[in-house]
Amino acid sequence: MKKKLILLLLLQITSQIHAQESENLELNETVVETTRIPEIVKNSSSSVIVVSKETIESLAMSNPDMSVILGLAVPSIGLSSNTTSNRSQTMRGRQMLIMIDGIPQSTPLRNTDRDIRSISPFAIERIEVIEGASSLYGSGAIGGVVNFVTKKNNTDRLFNGETSIGITDARFKQGDHAFGYKLNQQFYGKVNKFDYLVNGGIVTTGRGVDGERKFISPRYGLSDVMAKSIMAKVGYNFSTNTRIEAMYNYFSSEQDTDLIAAEGKYLQSPRIGIVGEKDVRAVNEGTRYNHNAYVKFISKDIFKNTNLDLSLYTQNLYTIFDYRANNPRSPRWEETGGQAAIKAEKYGARLNFLSALNLSKDIKMSVLYGGDFMLDETSQPLVDGRLWVPKLKAYNSAVFLQTVTNFYHKFSLKAGVRYDNILVKVPNYKTIPTRANQEWVSIEGGNLSYEKPTFNTLLQYHVAKEFNPYVSFSQGFAIFDLGRVLRTANADVVSKIETDPVATTNYEVGFTSKIAKKINLKFAYYWSHSKLGSDLAAGDDGFWKVVRNPQLIQGLEVQADTKINKYVFVGGSYSYLEGKLKSEGSSTYDDYMSGLSIPAPKLTLFTTITPVDNFTVNLMYTHTQERNRFHPVLNNSGNLVYKEGEGKVSPIDLFNLSSNYKMNNMRISLGIENLFNKTYYTSSSMLMARNNEYARGNGRYYTLGFTVNY
């Protein structure tokens, strides 16, 4: 206990971890491109966050899972579920659009809930985050945008390389099989006008163990998982103004374990893993492959004061979920067991023109205009061949106009409009009945059309470094998992099924501040409402249903950091939000939104200590508060139980430690996840309120790494 109190005294000021940068490079000078008009972060005014490569590497020392890294690094994103699913990991209480170099990873026609875990952290240069509804990229960004920006060559040398190895263990004990390893190899360089970077790696985990050294349930689990990745990027500069670039990224993550799930009683005992034999019909779950590629042509001054950026991209994804044995009390798939999968393909093009207009000496404007097109094909088959969701085809097209105007170096005005048109083609199909003696229901397909203009505007006043207030308005919309609705449809015609998209309107006020040249402070208060909600609730047949009741979300975020002296840098962040909806027939927001959307308040504190040259220690403390908004209700058996998604979420306190020592071109690192080996249940397992998902988080894990550059 004394150790914890001493550590807490070191963590004195709230801030964002992504402010951890080297002494000669301030994060505020980073140019962010996810805003579509490249700009320096400190001038972006809205809630734009950049998670640097240094921060990613520091967090990955203790846990390389991208959902863990995002949950710790971004105040508005909930903590990881410690599973393969990011279903409840929302941004500001709503769905976020995940991208790799601008390529959408989300599958709105049938959501995989796996889009965060779509890339290796060792392939990422930085993560750019736009918090709050965004109309910049179209459907899916009702909570915000996360863009994983892949690495690229940044030297003029012919050949460079980096080799990293690491070992991970929970107990350093023979026979528990909790051992894992990491291998990553990178080559990069430049030959005349040609530059290249190739990165490949393997990350394996052993059996997951909690603080009491019990094996964690393998359901949707990260036990015995092997993740493989390859990323290649090449570019050719025709001139200083003209460049062509190509990127390919492959990622897979597959679980092959001898653990099976056992026990588990909500609020009493955890679901654990025991050594056993799984069903002979079950195949290994996980993302078998996720291919992303683009070809990009960039031309500066293609005509007067105008730059061109043309991208062609594709994505191909195949994910397999866990095997479900038949449950006689709640049967599915003709009273048989089965294993669902999702297959998705995307082909897209993005055309940007960026023009600079100097309206006068003191009024300067940047204008972005162009169009997006994407073909999205998604289906959900069972592994045995039966088709649960037919192949849906969505034709997405949009035109957009975005402007940024600076007045007298005092005011910045952003304004934009985007018009999206989405046509979804649904073929004739049949739904799989739950009972063996039932006929398959025939559904007549058809076309579903969505048209939506969305607007955004933001005004910032540059009073002084000490105070830069802003106010913003933005809209977003999303198709809310169409396949989930279609696969259990009772209507005979698609046009009779309620499929209206979710549209949100977001307002935000806040300010940024730099005090005494050393204290950075940021504050934001926001509120977001939608006429149609997107919460999920469990239906009587055991399948999730979409709750369309109107929603209102309000929240605030505070971030700060400061460099105390040349040895110590401290900071952290605090995020609070609450969401309510209108119950049936109500004219007011009188009921709370479930934990699937609204996370518990989160506090993050950190300190970075450099006691001697080339030696750095990072200590991070994460605290989530209680969220207990619901009461148990009587189930069919007459027992009081919580509804799924409405469970009681208790507080969590976790410490993570990472350190590294540099020697010339070598670096030795040590990461410790859950430093004090706390036994706890993940927020996701608590809010789900289901015996099968009531699982604990990781106990103490050690990761020792070695990196050499040449």
Side-chain angles (χ1 to χ4, degrees):
M1 185 66 184
K2 289 182 179 179
K3 291 182 180 179
K4 292 186 179 182
L5 290 174
I6 292 172
L7 292 171
L8 282 171
L9 289 174
L10 293 174
L11 306 170
Q12 300 171 20
I13 301 179
T14 54
S15 169
Q16 55 184 13
I17 187 171
H18 19 274
Q20 299 179 39
E21 295 289 312
S22 59
E23 291 187 21
N24 58 358
L25 177 63
E26 293 187 13
L27 173 62
N28 285 338
E29 299 301 324
T30 301
V31 176
V32 61
E33 298 178 359
T34 303
T35 54
R36 301 201 75 155
I37 297 181
E39 56 188 327
I40 296 175
V41 172
K42 69 181 181 181
N43 297 331
S44 64
S45 64
S46 60
S47 293
V48 176
I49 290 175
V50 175
V51 186
S52 69
K53 180 176 69 173
E54 291 78 9
T55 298
I56 296 170
E57 290 177 348
S58 176
L59 292 173
M61 286 181 196
S62 53
N63 193 320
D65 189 279
M66 283 311 309
S67 63
V68 173
I69 292 172
L70 275 181
L72 294 176
V74 182
S76 59
I77 296 179
L79 292 182
S80 169
S81 64
N82 199 43
T83 68
T84 57
S85 174
N86 52 259
R87 178 187 296 166
S88 61
Q89 200 169 13
T90 58
M91 180 188 292
R92 290 188 171 180
R94 299 198 186 276
Q95 172 186 339
M96 51 187 157
L97 177 62
I98 307 295
M99 302 188 298
I100 296 176
D101 286 333
I103 303 173
Q105 302 303 297
S106 307
T107 53
L109 298 177
R110 179 61 192 97
N111 193 0
T112 64
D113 292 315
R114 305 292 191 275
D115 41 1
I116 292 179
R117 300 186 74 253
S118 56
I119 189 173
S120 166
F122 306 110
I124 300 174
E125 179 68 25
R126 65 184 183 276
I127 305 171
E128 298 179 351
V129 181
I130 299 177
E131 298 179 298
S134 173
S135 60
L136 296 175
Y137 289 92
S139 176
I142 58 176
V145 177
V146 174
N147 188 28
F148 299 124
V149 180
T150 58
K151 292 180 178 179
K152 63 180 180 180
N153 172 65
N154 56 7
T155 72
D156 290 327
R157 295 172 55 186
L158 173 64
F159 178 81
N160 304 268
E162 180 181 277
T163 302
S164 297
I165 60 174
I167 56 172
T168 300
D169 208 337
R171 294 186 278 185
F172 292 108
K173 178 182 176 183
Q174 294 291 330
D176 59 14
H177 302 286
F179 175 84
Y181 65 87
K182 306 172 188 178
L183 300 174
N184 197 79
Q185 180 63 58
Q186 182 173 292
F187 299 115
Y188 57 99
K190 185 175 182 180
V191 183
N192 297 323
K193 296 182 178 182
F194 173 83
D195 57 82
Y196 67 94
L197 183 142
V198 179
N199 188 92
I202 297 176
V203 177
T204 69
T205 65
R207 296 173 180 167
V209 297
D210 62 23
E212 294 183 1
R213 306 195 183 283
K214 293 182 179 180
F215 293 129
I216 298 172
S217 169
R219 184 171 186 268
Y220 290 161
L222 298 176
S223 293
D224 298 313
V225 169
M226 175 178 285
K228 295 178 287 186
S229 65
I230 299 173
M231 195 278 287
K233 185 177 289 187
V234 295
Y236 184 82
N237 297 306
F238 295 98
S239 66
T240 56
N241 288 338
T242 307
R243 173 179 172 82
I244 188 168
E245 184 177 280
M247 184 277 292
Y248 168 73
N249 187 79
Y250 164 82
F251 178 80
S252 71
S253 177
E254 187 175 340
Q255 183 187 59
D256 185 3
T257 184
D258 59 356
L259 295 180
I260 60 173
E263 303 179 24
K265 181 68 175 177
Y266 182 63
L267 296 181
Q268 295 183 25
S269 61
R271 187 75 163 171
I272 63 173
I274 62 173
V275 177
E277 294 185 6
K278 58 186 179 183
D279 194 295
V280 295
R281 293 164 293 183
V283 300
N284 291 336
E285 66 174 280
T287 298
R288 293 293 177 87
Y289 55 77
N290 182 25
H291 301 283
N292 284 271
Y294 73 67
V295 176
K296 182 183 297 185
F297 177 75
I298 303 167
S299 179
K300 298 179 181 178
D301 286 328
I302 191 169
F303 45 87
K304 187 175 181 180
N305 298 326
T306 298
N307 298 339
L308 166 68
D309 189 324
L310 172 63
S311 298
L312 303 176
Y313 64 83
T314 183
Q315 186 218 16
N316 196 329
L317 170 74
Y318 181 40
T319 292
I320 299 177
F321 298 94
D322 63 324
Y323 181 83
R324 299 293 181 90
N326 178 53
N327 181 355
R329 292 179 299 176
S330 181
R332 59 172 69 187
W333 306 320
E334 302 175 292
E335 298 183 80
T336 64
Q339 201 162 0
I342 290 180
K343 292 184 177 181
E345 296 179 61
K346 297 187 184 76
Y347 303 92
R350 183 173 291 128
L351 176 64
N352 294 343
F353 288 101
L354 179 61
S355 299
L357 303 176
N358 293 327
L359 303 180
S360 71
K361 176 183 177 181
D362 297 309
I363 302 177
K364 298 181 179 181
M365 175 185 290
S366 295
V367 182
L368 176 78
Y369 48 99
D372 291 338
F373 173 80
M374 184 176 69
L375 168 62
D376 185 353
E377 298 180 335
T378 304
S379 63
Q380 186 171 25
L382 300 183
V383 171
D384 61 24
R386 288 174 292 177
L387 198 58
W388 201 10
V389 176
K391 179 179 282 190
L392 309 175
K393 293 185 178 181
Y395 299 86
N396 302 257
S397 58
V399 292
F400 54 84
L401 173 68
Q402 188 78 22
T403 65
V404 177
T405 308
N406 295 306
F407 300 89
Y408 301 94
H409 305 286
K410 289 293 184 180
F411 291 95
S412 293
L413 175 64
K414 297 181 182 180
V417 59
R418 178 185 175 98
Y419 186 83
D420 281 273
N421 183 291
I422 303 177
L423 176 64
V424 180
K425 292 184 175 293
V426 182
N428 298 335
Y429 71 101
K430 294 182 178 181
T431 60
I432 303 176
T434 58
R435 298 290 182 180
N437 57 356
Q438 291 178 332
E439 292 187 9
W440 291 46
V441 177
S442 295
I443 308 294
E444 182 182 336
N447 296 334
L448 300 173
S449 181
Y450 307 96
E451 296 182 25
K452 180 69 177 178
T454 49
F455 302 89
N456 67 84
T457 184
L458 183 147
L459 178 65
Q460 182 177 25
Y461 180 33
H462 304 280
V463 180
K465 289 183 177 180
E466 290 75 17
F467 186 63
N468 288 276
Y470 69 87
V471 57
S472 72
F473 162 83
S474 60
Q475 294 179 311
F477 85 104
I479 300 175
F480 65 83
D481 200 345
L482 189 59
R484 186 183 293 276
V485 177
L486 296 179
R487 73 187 188 188
T488 56
N490 294 317
D492 57 351
V493 180
V494 164
S495 59
K496 296 180 181 179
I497 304 171
E498 184 180 9
T499 62
D500 291 341
V502 178
T504 60
T505 302
N506 189 81
Y507 302 89
E508 182 175 337
V509 294
F511 67 88
T512 60
S513 176
K514 192 175 185 70
I515 303 171
K517 298 183 179 181
K518 61 185 298 185
I519 301 175
N520 297 302
L521 179 65
K522 189 174 182 179
F523 172 84
Y525 172 75
Y526 59 88
W527 60 104
S528 170
H529 64 81
S530 60
K531 293 182 179 179
L532 285 177
S534 58
D535 255 14
L536 295 177
D540 296 334
D541 57 2
F543 293 107
W544 291 99
K545 307 293 185 182
V546 181
V547 180
R548 307 315 312 268
N549 302 53
Q551 298 173 335
L552 174 65
I553 296 176
Q554 300 179 77
L556 62 87
E557 294 161 12
V558 182
Q559 304 165 44
D561 63 70
T562 186
K563 191 170 186 178
I564 296 178
N565 53 44
K566 67 178 183 178
Y567 305 109
V568 181
F569 184 66
V570 297
S573 64
Y574 178 73
S575 174
Y576 172 88
L577 69 157
E578 189 54 89
K580 286 192 169 185
L581 52 80
K582 293 182 180 180
S583 59
E584 295 298 330
S586 175
S587 60
T588 61
Y589 295 97
D590 59 344
D591 201 2
Y592 287 103
M593 292 174 61
S594 84
L596 288 170
S597 295
I598 307 299
K602 180 178 67 173
L603 170 69
T604 299
L605 304 171
F606 75 86
T607 183
T608 300
I609 303 173
T610 309
V612 296
D613 290 344
N614 301 321
F615 179 56
T616 302
V617 178
N618 296 292
L619 180 65
M620 186 173 190
Y621 167 68
T622 303
H623 169 77
T624 59
Q625 296 176 229
E626 179 184 76
R627 187 171 191 260
N628 186 17
R629 300 299 194 190
F630 307 96
H631 301 285
V633 296
L634 287 173
N635 64 7
N636 295 333
S637 301
N639 300 318
L640 283 173
V641 296
Y642 286 94
K643 292 182 179 179
E644 294 179 23
E646 298 183 357
K648 176 183 177 181
V649 177
S650 300
I652 296 174
D653 295 278
L654 294 173
F655 287 86
N656 288 342
L657 177 73
S658 64
S659 62
N660 68 80
Y661 179 66
K662 296 180 180 179
M663 300 177 294
N664 298 321
N665 63 333
M666 295 180 292
R667 183 173 73 250
I668 299 175
S669 62
L670 173 65
I672 306 178
E673 180 184 10
N674 194 356
L675 180 62
F676 297 105
N677 198 39
K678 182 179 180 63
T679 300
Y680 70 101
Y681 291 90
T682 65
S683 297
S684 176
S685 73
M686 289 187 279
L687 67 90
M688 289 302 297
R690 297 201 291 195
N691 296 337
N692 287 345
E693 297 186 34
Y694 193 54
R696 289 172 176 166
N698 287 346
R700 184 192 294 118
Y701 270 81
Y702 305 88
T703 300
L704 181 64
F706 176 77
T707 301
V708 58
N709 294 275
Y710 43 89

